[in-house]
Amino acid sequence: MEYIIILISAIFVNNIVLAKFLGICPFVGVSAKTDTAVGMSGAVMFVMTIATIITWLIKTYILEVYGLQFLEIISFILVISSLVQLVEIILKKVSPPLFQALGIYLPLITTNCAILGVAIEASGTTDFGLLHSTVFAIANAIGFGLVMILFASLREHLDLVNVPKGMRGVPAAFIVAGILALAFMGFSGMV
Amino acid sequence: MNQVQNFTKGLFKENPVFVMMLGLCPALGVTTSAINGLGMGLATTFVLLMSNIVVSIIKNAIPPKVRIPSFIVIIASFVTIVDLTMNAYLPSLHKELGLFIPLIVVNCLVMGRAEGFASKNNTLSSIIDALGMGFGFAIALTILGGVREILGSGAIFGVSLVDADLMLAFVLAPGAFIGLGYLIAIHRAIKKN
């Protein structure tokens, strides 16, 4: 039951993009087409889950044991950026089709604040065990993917509409995102 | 490029938020009020300034292949300093900005200036560039925070102007997107004339 609450809360109520404002760069940058949005969401889900598990282990078994909590930011970002490269190398060897699909999005992920944000949040929530953190990461990744794909399909339709000249492109996209956020506010109070 | 242009380009013409769309996560996340925007802007300016100085000094000592990881370590060290200092001396602001202080590490603006400017220019230009970009970022965040505060709660910098609840949505998440969308459009219109 706890896990279901974590899932619903992270996907709908406290959506990572629309309520917590993490991962805005890919949300605006690669959402012009639906298939790139799907690729990016897949890559984020992959890296976010692994990164959260590994940073949780590092925090619990290294940083806390030796009283090094002040190194959290530095160690997490280093782990995430090396992890992304590692994932890239392993995927290339093990699963070329998956690498084909996710490959170009992987380098972009290092600077995706959603990954570091979820890792820090999961390690900062004191009653989160390893399984809780993993579910939390997966839930946030699903939330990211859902909003990303919704937004990409909205933007594809936006291309066909006659938008006033000064608002074309990014400004109109932000207004659409605002309305989407307004719609997601309807979920608040669910958990 | 002379130093005056180097400074002013970040303020308006190449504003990091309105034109280059860098650092959007904190720009949307913390700007529920003008003072939060200003605090976040100044914290980012400090990290940007210090990392630009260090990168421009040691740029020749860093092997090109490990450039990016080295920059990340430099930036993360200064972010840790800001995080701990703010927690000690400004606990209430630190609490409001929350997760976004550690996330300065992955702010594309800081990384972008280290890689795109400080690693190619001398220390003085890098300092001026960092100050211009940092202040441009702070101004953008303060304006967005101010607009949201006025429309949402009828106050500015915590000083109440009208005694009523206005469009509450502007202090909440949707207002951030809508406010920034209109501000970008206004910035474009001013730039054109």
Side-chain angles (χ1 to χ4, degrees), chain A:
Chain A
M1 192 60 207
E2 292 173 71
Y3 299 115
I4 296 172
I5 290 177
I6 294 180
L7 271 171
I8 292 177
S9 141
I11 296 174
F12 296 112
V13 183
N14 292 313
N15 186 280
I16 183 161
V17 180
L18 297 177
K20 289 193 212 148
F21 301 109
L22 298 176
I24 302 286
C25 300
F27 178 67
V28 176
V30 289
S31 61
K33 285 209 179 74
T34 316
D35 34 336
T36 53
V38 173
M40 188 71 194
S41 316
V44 164
M45 178 175 281
F46 204 75
V47 175
M48 192 181 274
T49 314
I50 303 173
T52 307
I53 294 173
I54 293 184
T55 51
W56 190 90
L57 292 174
I58 287 180
K59 178 225 165 203
T60 315
Y61 293 109
I62 300 178
L63 297 184
E64 276 186 354
V65 175
Y66 298 102
L68 297 171
Q69 282 93 336
F70 65 92
L71 285 178
E72 191 180 81
I73 301 173
I74 301 184
S75 54
F76 279 19
I77 188 66
L78 281 179
V79 166
I80 290 171
S81 49
S82 33
L83 183 77
V84 171
Q85 297 214 321
L86 200 70
V87 167
E88 211 178 334
I89 297 167
I90 295 175
L91 267 190
K92 209 173 185 174
K93 279 269 180 221
V94 178
S95 167
L98 195 61
F99 178 75
Q100 285 277 313
L102 305 182
I104 49 166
Y105 305 105
L106 283 173
L108 296 174
I109 283 184
T110 318
T111 51
N112 183 340
C113 52
I115 311 278
L116 183 64
V118 167
I120 291 180
E121 219 180 324
S123 88
T125 315
T126 37
D127 56 341
F128 266 18
L130 183 57
L131 197 57
H132 280 97
S133 302
T134 315
V135 174
F136 182 69
I138 295 174
N140 273 304
I142 297 174
F144 179 79
L146 174 75
V147 170
M148 189 81 187
I149 293 164
L150 274 177
F151 188 56
S153 17
L154 283 172
R155 274 186 84 173
E156 278 184 354
H157 284 278
L158 202 63
D159 285 343
L160 309 172
V161 187
N162 191 10
V163 181
K165 211 174 164 203
M167 298 293 289
R168 255 173 230 167
V170 180
F174 270 118
I175 310 267
V176 171
I179 296 169
L180 198 60
L182 208 55
F184 266 71
M185 269 174 66
F187 291 118
S188 59
M190 249 168 71
V191 234

Side-chain angles (χ1 to χ4, degrees), chain B residues 27-44:
Chain B
L28 294 168
V30 303
T31 52
T32 46
S33 69
I35 195 79
N36 285 0
L38 187 62
M40 186 70 208
L42 293 181
T44 311

